[in-house]
Amino acid sequence: MYERGLDIITVPTVRNLHSALNPAIKSLNYLNNIFAKIEATTADAKRPSCFNAEGFVSECTGDNVFIVKAGNV
């Protein structure tokens, strides 16, 4: 995985708005992560990448996203 990377798929599940819950509250509300993981598994991808409410790539369910182009991160 460290040499080749992972297969990632974008899924229709949208990340929760930051304003929906007070960030000081650790609610353990990971339901959208579970839905996204199910969608990725169904598509034979290792990790799902979610969009935010504005339509930008936000994050994976348990990973960070980095783009490497021409050897630069």
Side-chain angles (χ1 to χ4, degrees):
M1 290 187 297
Y2 289 103
E3 293 177 12
R4 277 190 345 98
L6 296 170
D7 294 327
I8 295 177
I9 187 171
T10 54
V11 295
T13 299
V14 176
R15 297 293 299 152
N16 291 336
L17 288 171
H18 293 290
S19 60
L21 292 171
N22 180 343
I25 299 171
K26 183 66 174 175
S27 68
L28 300 176
N29 183 6
Y30 295 116
L31 186 58
N32 59 352
N33 285 7
I34 294 167
F35 287 146
K37 182 65 176 168
I38 290 169
E39 291 165 336
T41 301
T42 301
D44 290 327
K46 295 290 182 193
R47 302 287 194 273
S49 176
C50 299
F51 293 102
N52 62 16
E54 291 82 28
F56 294 103
V57 173
S58 173
E59 59 189 341
C60 293
T61 55
D63 307 282
N64 295 315
V65 177
F66 297 94
I67 296 174
V68 179
K69 184 175 181 181
N72 296 312
V73 178

